[in-house]
Amino acid sequence: MLTDKKILVTGGTGSLGKVLVKRLLSGELGTPKKIIVFSRDEAKQHSMRIEYLNKKDPTDEIIYNNSKRGLEFRIGDVRDPHSLNSSLKEVDIVFNAAALKQVPSCEYFPFEAVQTNIMGPQNIVNAIQELDLPIETVVGISTDKACKPVNVMGMTKALQERVFLQANMKCQSTRFICVRYGNVLASRGSVIPLFHEQILNGGPVTITTPDMTRFLLSLNQAVDTIFSAIKFANRGETYIPIVPSAKMTDIAKVLIGNRNIKTVITGIRPGEKIHEILISEEEAPRAIKRGGYYVILPLLPELRKIQIKEEFLDREYSSADNLMNLDEVSRILSYYDLLIDKKNESEELIR
């Protein structure tokens, strides 16, 4: 599907971007002709470049050889049309992973979030429309916080979704689709690395409120969602993974284990929700199940290809529903190697 395609990954040095690039290089959707990692952080780009050049494991040979031929790094910012336009001119597929995603930071610097999370996507759309670029597909990476948003980060990501989905009407030759998912396990800035650090330092472990729940998925599950969308999504559709959720208190209990470490309730941070929603009650009548995913059909009737009959959701999809118990939380954290091994309590666990 992606064989001989030129691909642009904005925000390609972030937690998701790095896993996405690795999976693209693996060839599971075909071998791309070129992958451009586009981001504004030169230090992260340098680190990622060196990481690929220094791979020694024979199992990584296909990735290493492909990176020598077709992995390119470009300094740029989605806020800047000039650097963005020059990169977009050469590609067939765009994955927009560039974002300001820290909830408190966005609350204190809301217009910075607007410029990256809204103006950045609009710059992509403008370039395709005004330069008549033959880009096949643009995938917008969104978040559960975009659903019924109460914080700046969620509000800006919700508008990113609308910018991309409406762009299907402006750019008739380009398919714009979105994916929306919840907390990514152990991604940069997420709660599990924070809990690890607090536990390794002897505590206390800070929890904002005892009732807080979150959806949980791995970085690879996030990329699976992106890949399913690019394979099967129609124009204007949003893909949602069907994933488990857990109470933050249960995650803390499992990570602490038998250690004599206290937990402290600190109160909800600015802009934080108690429960996250992946599909709202207003979106449920447009949401269908497709394989292992929910798909939200376009809000705009001009883009809707599927006529809804009986197979739509009858309620919102909330992290408060179908919570895992302690054993299930322990199993999922163990499966993804996120439990702290007493024999190996080192800084390498804090990523």
Side-chain angles (χ1 to χ4, degrees), residues 2-65:
L2 298 181
T3 297
D4 292 330
K5 301 296 184 183
K6 294 181 180 179
I7 298 170
L8 178 70
V9 182
T10 70
T13 56
S15 300
L16 173 73
K18 291 173 71 174
V19 176
L20 175 58
V21 168
K22 183 175 182 179
R23 294 273 299 273
L24 290 168
L25 286 169
S26 75
E28 63 184 276
L29 291 185
T31 304
K33 185 174 184 179
K34 176 180 282 191
I35 298 172
I36 300 171
V37 175
F38 180 90
S39 70
R40 61 184 183 177
D41 193 318
E42 61 175 339
K44 290 179 185 175
Q45 283 198 17
H46 177 71
S47 175
M48 189 172 173
R49 184 188 300 110
I50 295 301
E51 179 184 349
Y52 276 104
L53 290 175
N54 289 341
K55 285 188 179 294
K56 304 297 183 185
D57 189 333
T59 61
D60 289 329
E61 182 177 356
I62 184 171
I63 297 175
Y64 172 71
N65 287 336

Side-chain angles (χ1 to χ4, degrees), residues 166-214:
Q166 195 277 334
N168 285 289
M169 297 181 66
K170 292 182 178 179
C171 310
Q172 296 292 320
S173 299
T174 302
R175 175 183 59 150
F176 291 86
I177 56 180
C178 288
V179 299
R180 183 196 289 173
Y181 52 77
N183 268 31
V184 175
L185 291 163
S187 63
R188 185 183 298 120
S190 65
V191 71
I192 289 178
L194 172 63
F195 284 172
H196 278 169
E197 183 175 12
Q198 291 174 336
I199 291 167
L200 293 175
N201 288 330
V205 171
T206 57
I207 297 171
T208 54
T209 174
D211 298 322
M212 184 166 288
T213 64
R214 288 294 181 267

Side-chain angles (χ1 to χ4, degrees), residues 179-182 215 217 221-222 225 239-243 278 292-294 317:
V179 299
R180 183 196 289 173
Y181 52 77
F215 292 104
L217 78 164
Q221 285 177 302
T225 306
Y239 262 60
I240 312 284
I242 301 174
V243 291
L278 272 171
Y293 300 90
Y294 291 126
Y317 180 26

Side-chain angles (χ1 to χ4, degrees), residues 127-138:
I128 294 171
Q129 182 181 25
E130 294 169 11
L131 302 177
D132 197 24
L133 301 178
I135 290 175
E136 298 172 12
T137 300
V138 175

Side-chain angles (χ1 to χ4, degrees), residues 180 236-238 240 278-279 283 286-288 294-298:
R180 183 196 289 173
E237 292 183 342
T238 300
I240 312 284
L278 272 171
I279 300 174
E283 293 171 321
R286 291 186 286 111
I288 60 173
Y294 291 126
V295 178
I296 302 176
L297 305 182

Side-chain angles (χ1 to χ4, degrees), residues 289-341:
K289 190 172 182 182
R290 186 181 295 163
Y293 300 90
Y294 291 126
V295 178
I296 302 176
L297 305 182
L299 176 68
L300 301 177
E302 296 90 341
L303 300 175
R304 200 176 301 161
K305 288 188 174 182
I306 299 174
Q307 296 301 314
I308 303 175
K309 297 179 181 177
E310 300 93 14
E311 298 182 16
F312 57 84
L313 296 188
D314 59 0
R315 58 181 298 179
E316 68 181 15
Y317 180 26
S318 167
S319 64
D321 302 330
N322 302 316
L323 291 170
M324 292 184 288
N325 59 37
L326 274 175
D327 288 340
E328 291 169 327
V329 172
S330 181
R331 280 197 295 271
I332 197 170
L333 296 184
S334 178
Y335 179 80
Y336 290 115
D337 295 324
L338 296 173
L339 295 179
I340 299 178
D341 184 349

